[in-house]
């Protein structure tokens, strides 16, 4: 036992002889406990950032492919310049031409305004693209004659010009040649002429060009041009059998005159008879 662990304590007690005896009593002292360190507070937990919520992936819906309906065609428009451009697509289901009979006297004239309205109607038809889902033979195309110079000088913006540009750069000389071939009166117009083949180099000896459909807008107000064109190219000449023997003239007449607010164009057939085109009886 270590000295540091004991103490001496004096105690008194009486004995029979009344003597006081002092006795030293050994007393054990409990060890002094070591100082207890207070527990250090636990470090605050480092917050762990929650993962960013990932956006729910929504797959794009697959395009719905509408099956082609046999016998139906689509309607497109395109600009026409002299050969060889016209022959690039020579197998259209239908070739139609907007023919302006003669040059306008001035941009302030009523004729110029009618021609501008005609081009607005022309542009209501979707533009033809070379990468069409349908083949050319399933496309009914509507042409607007332009001078080659208009293309060469505006190659990068030719499809985005003002309506006046297309009237001012219209190939009136070429249109006159088409009208001469068809023996049409050139005092009125505009005209739309539809054929099963191209008008360039046409001949009555070609079975595809023995009939021409003429839509004469001479007596139609220019505000009704768009309705006439839309009706003709969106509602008629869709069926591949329309051209089998002849145009369904009654059907065309009724459809074209519908949306034109009472303005009824003259619609008739031209047939190749004795070396020239004449109105079919």
């Amino acid at each position: 036992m270590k000295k540091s662990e004991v103490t001496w304590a004096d105690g008194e007690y009486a004995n029979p002889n009344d003597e006081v005896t002092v006795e030293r009593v050994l007393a054990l002292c409990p060890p002094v406990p070591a100082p207890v360190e207070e527990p250090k507070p636990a470090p605050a937990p480092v917050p762990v950032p929650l993962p960013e919520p990932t956006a729910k992936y929504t797959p794009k819906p697959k395009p719905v492919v509408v099956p082609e309906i046999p016998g139906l065609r689509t309607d497109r428009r395109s600009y026409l310049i002299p050969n060889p451009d016209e022959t690039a697509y020579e197998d259209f289901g239908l070739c139609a031409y907007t023919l302006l009979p003669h040059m306008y006297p001035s941009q302030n004239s009523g004729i110029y305004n009618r021609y501008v309205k005609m081009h607005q109607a022309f542009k209501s038809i979707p533009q033809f693209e070379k990468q069409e889902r349908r083949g050319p033979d399933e496309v009914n195309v509507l042409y607007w004659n332009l001078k080659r110079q208009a293309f060469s000088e505006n190659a990068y913006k030719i499809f985005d010009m003002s309506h006046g540009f297309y009237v001012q750069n219209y190939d009136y000389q070429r249109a006159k040649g088409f009208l001469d071939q068809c023996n049409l009166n050139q005092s009125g117009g505009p005209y739309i002429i539809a054929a099963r083949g191209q008008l360039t180099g046409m001949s009555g000896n070609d079975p595809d060009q023995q009939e021409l459909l003429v839509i004469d807008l001479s007596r139609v107000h220019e505000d009704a041009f768009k309705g006439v064109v839309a009706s003709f190219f969106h509602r008629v000449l869709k069926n591949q059998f329309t051209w089998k023997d002849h145009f369904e003239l009654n059907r065309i007449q009724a459809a074209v005159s519908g949306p034109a607010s009472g303005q009824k164009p003259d619609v008739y057939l031209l047939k190749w008879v004795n070396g020239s085109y004449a109105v079919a009886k």
Side-chain angles (χ1 to χ4, degrees):
M1 183 178 293
K2 297 179 181 178
K3 292 182 178 180
S4 60
E5 296 176 347
V6 300
T7 59
W8 294 97
D10 294 334
E12 295 183 357
Y13 62 93
N15 57 29
N17 300 319
D18 292 330
E19 292 179 354
V20 176
T21 302
V22 177
E23 185 180 74
R24 305 197 81 184
V25 179
L26 180 64
L28 294 177
C29 298
V32 179
V36 179
E37 294 184 2
E38 294 184 4
K40 296 181 180 180
V46 179
V48 179
L50 296 175
E52 292 289 334
T54 56
K56 184 179 180 181
Y57 173 70
T58 304
K60 293 183 179 180
K62 294 182 179 180
V64 178
V65 179
V66 179
E68 301 289 359
I69 302 176
L72 293 186
R73 291 174 176 163
T74 187
D75 305 309
R76 295 291 185 266
R77 61 179 164 86
S78 185
Y79 291 102
L80 180 66
I81 58 177
N83 288 336
D85 303 86
E86 185 182 7
T87 58
Y89 294 96
E90 57 186 11
D91 295 323
F92 282 123
L94 177 74
C95 293
Y97 300 75
T98 52
L99 300 182
L100 310 182
H102 44 75
M103 184 69 178
Y104 54 89
S106 72
Q107 295 184 21
N108 296 323
S109 63
I111 295 177
Y112 181 85
N113 183 57
R114 284 177 67 81
Y115 289 174
V116 167
K117 292 283 189 178
M118 191 65 211
H119 187 265
Q120 291 175 349
F122 169 82
K123 288 202 75 173
S124 66
I125 304 297
Q127 173 68 30
F128 175 76
E129 302 291 345
K130 292 182 179 180
Q131 295 80 22
E132 291 283 342
R133 190 170 70 170
R134 295 174 181 263
D137 60 331
E138 295 180 302
V139 176
N140 295 335
V141 65
L142 174 63
Y143 282 123
W144 183 275
N145 298 306
L146 274 183
K147 298 176 182 177
R148 180 177 293 278
Q149 183 180 0
F151 270 82
S152 60
E153 294 179 353
N154 301 275
Y156 296 104
K157 52 184 178 179
I158 191 65
F159 299 112
D160 194 29
M161 306 294 282
S162 67
H163 296 293
F165 169 86
Y166 300 100
V167 174
Q168 296 162 26
N169 288 277
Y170 186 84
D171 193 340
Y172 293 94
Q173 188 63 33
R174 191 176 195 198
K176 184 179 186 303
F178 289 149
L179 292 167
D180 286 342
Q181 285 179 297
C182 301
N183 296 324
L184 289 175
N185 181 5
Q186 299 183 26
S187 62
Y191 298 93
I192 298 175
I193 296 181
R196 284 174 286 190
Q198 297 166 349
L199 294 184
T200 299
M202 71 178 184
S203 168
N205 297 324
D206 185 345
D208 283 344
Q209 294 177 333
Q210 290 182 356
E211 292 182 339
L212 302 177
L213 177 66
V214 178
I215 302 176
D216 185 352
L217 302 175
S218 299
R219 297 189 293 178
V220 176
H221 193 278
E222 55 267 20
D223 289 339
F225 286 173
K226 188 174 181 179
V228 171
V229 171
S231 177
F232 176 69
F233 281 93
H234 289 269
R235 299 187 184 184
V236 299
L237 297 181
K238 296 283 189 180
N239 193 292
Q240 62 181 338
F241 299 109
T242 302
W243 286 93
K244 185 176 181 180
D245 296 317
H246 56 80
F247 281 107
E248 296 178 5
L249 193 58
N250 294 332
R251 176 184 172 205
I252 292 170
Q253 183 80 19
V256 171
S257 61
S261 301
Q263 299 287 337
K264 188 174 181 179
D266 293 321
V267 182
Y268 49 88
L269 281 176
L270 293 180
K271 281 194 174 184
W272 185 262
V273 180
N274 296 328
S276 64
Y277 281 98
V279 177
K281 301 299 184 182

